[in-house]
Amino acid sequence: MYRENSAKRVSGKIGKIFPLAFMYLFLTLLLLICVLPFLLVLINSTHTSIDIVTRLNLTFGTALSENYEKMQSSVNIWQGFGNSLMISVPFTALTGYFSALTAYGFSKYRFKGNKVLFWVVLFSMMLPSQLSIIGFYQLNLKLSLLNSFLPFILPGMANATAVFFLKGMIEQSIPDSLIEAGRIEGSSEIHIFNRLILPCIMPGVATMCIFNFVSSWNNYLGPLVIMTDNAKFPMPVMIAMIKGLYQTNYGALYLAIAISVVPIIIVYIFLSRYIISGLTLGAEK
Amino acid sequence: MNKNCYGEGRVLCLPFTVCFISWESAPMIQNRCAATRGTKAALPKIFARVSARSALLFQKGMGISMKKKAFHKQFYGYLFISPFFIIFLIFGLYPIVSTALLSMQKWDGMLPPDFNGIDNYARLITDTTFFRSVGNTIRIWLFNFIPQMAIALLLAALFTFNRVRGMILFRAAFYMPNLITAASVGLMFNLLFNGGKSAVNHLLLMTGIIDTPIYFFESPFFTSSLVSYIQWWMWFGYTTIIVMTGMASIDTQVYEAAMVDGASKRKTFFAITLPLIRPTLIYMTITSIIGGMQIFDVPATLTNGTGEPQKSILTTAMYIYIQAFRSHNLGYASAVSMGLFLMIALLSMVSFRLLRRKEEG
């Protein structure tokens, strides 16, 4: 990281106080912009609808349980929550395991077409996904997978980005001798992968898993097209639907949004270090 | 990008950056990996056993075992990559091919599709709503991308060249909106702005900025700007982090040389930093185009889902959805998809050329 030398810093100290204050003011303003909407949602979710429309609430209210009952009376938000988990957890697990397996196959086995097939993987990263949504719908109609979680779980096995990332990692950090050692020990090939390779690249797999869990959790258009049964809706589709259901029942609406947003924020608070370093890996050389 | 889960385009792009950054930091990973798992310590032991057994193998005859090994290597290589390709063919490639085929058919989603040649495309090039949606999409993207880049460059420079207290906290907070479900964000901003008695109106009235409440969602200009703002809000933190990694990879000696030459801070930034992070900027621009042209979640949940008021936030992806699943013109919607695909390819190419040409000049 580049810093000025100390002599320059001392000489320019007085002239710097104003820009410095300005800088922190600017950063704090941006911080407020990022946090305030969530804070308003949290606060409003504890107020009655009348409170919400008559004034701006800046402190927490007492109508949380009332809002909760109203919210649960017309739709069971936890069902959406559960559905999202039922999709995102297996999706993430499949992504982690099969991306590592594919990357291992590409990097440690010499077979005909290795390079060409890897180009296919790279090419598959370039295709814009939302544009084939109609073909995706037709496919699931043909396979009678409408209203099923499978169309959102199985694609985890073909995650080109994760394969690309993990292939680089395996090539750099797994010596061939480790695999040879395993072979001579008499382990089967799949056993070598499960017991030797996978634990070694776990940090990279975990990074991939975090991002893929989030992208799966936030997926809106896919389920919107495939799901028609309310009981199968994952969180984003349910949230988008409830606006019509609750009408002017703002307290319940705000609470529903809060429930959809808070778990992600809590997870982020605990994992933000890993998430950001996942993004900036290599920047702290 | 993860092709198959149809999420917000750029969320899925983000691990891509992780990959090419991590390329360089692999030794670091290796160390961490060895440290956590103790493989380094365990290696000599394994090697000792290995050498004893490999001596045995030599006696058994190299020729046969080598042939067997080669076959093994081929077989297991194919075996390990086959799940990826089976699923990719079904959930990745097939939908694209079938969308392309459906774009030349008439299909309502129930009766068998009917081949109708280029009818859909003939309709597409005279469809004013389509061109309007393309215009909306590009406008929303531009008004989000330009401020996003400007702020990201500014913040990245601040964080890289200054000692900012609480940098980790600021950076983490700026990135947070990116992880939140876009559908929830759309509804959240709808609630905060909708109607005369919304939270934002209360805030503006209380601080005396306005006298009478504003009905934000009656103004096409405001609604479109709000979508751009939300996109900016969701993405500037991510862009900042990526630009920062680009800046951090610049050799500090270059800066020292500039300082010795007496270059000012501003000049150093424009003459050294910017040109050196051009690859990062190109990457950001292209992924942003690919994601931004497919924008759906926020504009679809911000108002009533049809791009009101006055179709000002009807994006092309929304138009595809409405044509396909509200009006049941799945064939025509496929043609619109192909049109959008062409546009994304074109815009990416143009911006790539533009950004590269600057480098040559």
Side-chain angles (χ1 to χ4, degrees), chain A residues 45-241:
Chain A
S45 69
T46 62
H47 284 275
T48 59
S49 300
I50 297 149
D51 258 8
I52 291 167
V53 292
T54 48
R55 60 191 165 88
L56 180 70
N57 302 296
L58 291 173
T59 50
F60 286 96
T62 50
L64 183 63
S65 59
E66 189 187 320
N67 285 338
Y68 182 77
E69 268 162 37
K70 269 186 196 157
M71 184 191 75
Q72 286 299 89
S73 67
S74 48
V75 67
N76 183 5
I77 200 101
W78 299 112
Q79 176 139 41
F81 203 85
N83 288 341
S84 274
L85 278 180
M86 301 256 283
I87 292 172
S88 298
V89 171
F91 172 84
T92 310
L94 284 183
T95 302
Y97 184 79
F98 282 97
S99 303
L101 187 67
T102 312
Y104 177 61
F106 271 119
S107 59
K108 294 296 178 190
Y109 292 88
R110 305 276 162 272
F111 50 86
K112 269 177 206 148
N114 185 319
K115 280 202 172 139
V116 178
L117 288 173
F118 191 66
W119 274 107
V120 174
V121 173
L122 290 183
F123 172 74
S124 77
M125 286 202 295
M126 315 281 172
L127 301 165
S129 59
Q130 315 251 71
L131 299 184
S132 55
I133 192 75
I134 294 153
F136 184 67
Y137 173 78
Q138 193 217 24
L139 169 76
N140 290 302
L141 184 71
K142 275 186 178 169
L143 298 175
S144 33
L145 285 176
L146 296 181
N147 281 320
S148 156
F149 293 153
L150 282 178
F152 305 104
I153 295 172
L154 290 177
M157 289 164 74
N159 189 329
T161 316
V163 170
F164 181 65
F165 171 79
L166 292 172
K167 181 174 180 266
M169 192 167 169
I170 289 172
E171 275 169 359
Q172 300 272 356
S173 65
I174 306 288
D176 286 347
S177 50
L178 184 68
I179 301 160
E180 283 306 317
R183 283 194 185 124
I184 288 159
E185 285 284 287
S187 304
S188 65
E189 300 291 311
I190 193 77
H191 198 80
I192 292 174
F193 172 75
N194 287 338
R195 292 293 161 86
L196 277 177
I197 312 300
L198 201 55
C200 261
I201 56 168
M202 218 47 203
V205 174
T207 307
M208 282 292 106
C209 284
I210 295 174
F211 289 118
N212 282 297
F213 184 86
V214 171
S215 71
S216 162
W217 184 272
N218 290 344
N219 186 6
Y220 172 55
L221 181 59
L224 183 67
V225 166
I226 301 297
M227 311 287 189
T228 47
D229 178 4
N230 286 14
K232 296 277 184 164
F233 282 173
M235 207 65 173
V237 181
M238 194 170 256
I239 289 291
M241 174 191 76

Side-chain angles (χ1 to χ4, degrees), chain A residues 24 33 53 112 124-125 127 129-130 135 138 155 161 169 172 181 200 215 218-219 243 260 268 278 281 285, chain B residues 1 3-6 12 18 21 24 26 29 33 46 78 94 98-99 165 172 179 181 184 202 233 294 303:
Chain A
Y24 280 107
I33 282 176
V53 292
K112 269 177 206 148
S124 77
M125 286 202 295
L127 301 165
S129 59
Q130 315 251 71
Q138 193 217 24
T161 316
M169 192 167 169
Q172 300 272 356
C200 261
S215 71
N218 290 344
N219 186 6
K243 198 175 86 189
S260 80
Y268 181 62
L281 219 68
K285 270 192 286 201
Chain B
M1 282 165 285
K3 266 21 281 127
N4 308 307
C5 84
Y6 299 101
L12 307 172
V18 182
I21 292 158
E24 293 165 37
I29 298 167
C33 166
I46 296 175
Y78 288 127
Y94 177 82
S98 108
T99 307
R165 276 168 194 280
L179 293 170
T181 316
S184 297
H202 280 303
W233 179 78
Q294 301 181 69
T303 58

Side-chain angles (χ1 to χ4, degrees), chain B residues 132-155:
Chain B
R132 184 158 191 185
S133 76
V134 170
N136 286 339
T137 310
I138 293 178
R139 187 186 61 237
I140 288 170
W141 177 74
L142 267 181
F143 284 116
N144 139 46
F145 182 71
I146 294 169
Q148 182 187 314
M149 253 330 181
I151 289 280
L153 282 170
L154 182 69
L155 285 176

Side-chain angles (χ1 to χ4, degrees), chain B residues 72-118:
Chain B
H72 254 225
K73 279 211 142 186
Q74 291 252 353
F75 172 72
Y76 281 104
Y78 288 127
L79 184 73
F80 287 171
I81 66 165
S82 56
F84 180 98
F85 282 94
I86 292 166
I87 294 296
F88 170 66
L89 286 179
I90 300 171
F91 288 99
L93 202 62
Y94 177 82
I96 293 169
V97 174
S98 108
T99 307
L101 290 176
L102 278 171
S103 75
M104 290 174 282
Q105 296 173 21
K106 189 175 167 61
W107 188 38
D108 63 358
M110 314 218 199
L111 298 167
D114 228 6
F115 184 78
N116 67 354
I118 56 159

